[in-house]
Amino acid sequence: MATNLDYDGDIAILDLGDDENRFSPEFLDEVDAQLDTILARGAHGLVTTAEGKFYSNGLDLDWLGAHSDQGDWYVGRVQGLLARMLTLPIPTAAAVVGHAFGAGAMLAIAHDFRIMRDDRGFFCFPEVDIRIPFTPGMAALIQAKLTPQAAVASMTTGRRFGGRDAQTCGLVEATAPEGSVTTVAIDLLRPLGGKDSGTLGAIKQGMFGPAVEALTAAHAAG
């Protein structure tokens, strides 16, 4: 597996990889399998992180270009993962150690909390500049997690937010120096351990039901 799963006590740490960590079908399968393992073990929280320059660069456009006949299935598959992360029945935090673009930024947004490196890396929804409108599900996800002002500032401009600007805008909760991002994310989740997963999952389903419905509509159709 390109992804790697480790633990710090009861907190699961899922490393997405050391390249652009694009959402190939194989990558999506790996992450889903890792989430199954994490939940089966009874982890008290999940931190996703990465190595290198990227947290995730989002959709695998090379794969999509070579399999254009499977586009609807692929988008549904991506949205299924986003919906699962949004309602995962344990506390979650994204340690955004590098660039998070497009669907990679959406994966981070789907977590409960985000910590971003303060000196390098961009958080960006580039859809307006690459002429790819947000699907209804992706728009619903982002708007469910951000204030209206932050949604407009990030979704309609294609702006690349550095860590401190992302925090000011409300895209991330906090920033941390290089080498500390994942540790800060773990420390954020540690006091939240031990929540009843059934209750927490039901709360998240209630909070984000419309976004989940929009995300999974295409998945069900595919």
Side-chain angles (χ1 to χ4, degrees), residues 67-212:
H67 302 84
S68 57
D69 60 320
Q70 299 181 57
D72 288 344
W73 170 85
Y74 175 72
V75 171
R77 183 74 181 79
V78 170
Q79 293 191 167
L81 176 62
L82 297 176
R84 186 178 191 189
M85 186 64 72
L86 183 63
T87 56
L88 205 70
I90 57 176
T92 60
V96 185
V97 294
H99 301 310
F101 275 77
M106 294 176 205
L107 179 62
I109 283 288
H111 290 64
D112 298 330
F113 309 102
R114 285 151 298 285
I115 310 298
M116 189 171 173
R117 182 171 163 179
D118 61 10
D119 62 334
R120 294 188 67 183
F122 292 115
F123 195 106
C124 177
F125 298 120
E127 282 74 8
V128 69
D129 290 326
I130 60 177
R131 301 182 180 183
I132 301 178
F134 295 93
T135 67
M138 292 174 176
L141 164 66
I142 298 167
Q143 291 175 279
K145 298 303 294 287
L146 299 180
T147 66
Q149 295 90 339
V152 170
S154 58
M155 295 175 71
T156 69
T157 67
R159 178 179 167 187
R160 299 184 176 195
F161 291 84
R164 292 170 185 170
D165 286 343
Q167 183 179 5
T168 298
C169 193
L171 299 173
V172 303
E173 276 68 35
T175 61
E178 178 185 7
S180 301
V181 181
T182 301
T183 300
V184 171
I186 293 168
D187 289 344
L188 177 66
L189 294 189
R190 203 179 304 280
L192 304 178
K195 305 293 186 188
D196 177 74
S197 61
T199 303
L200 182 57
I203 289 172
K204 289 186 182 182
Q205 288 283 350
M207 290 175 69
F208 304 122
V212 171

Side-chain angles (χ1 to χ4, degrees), residues 29-46:
D29 287 343
E30 281 192 28
V31 173
D32 259 333
Q34 299 283 33
L35 294 179
D36 289 342
T37 299
I38 289 163
L39 295 178
R41 175 164 168 168
H44 287 184
L46 165 65

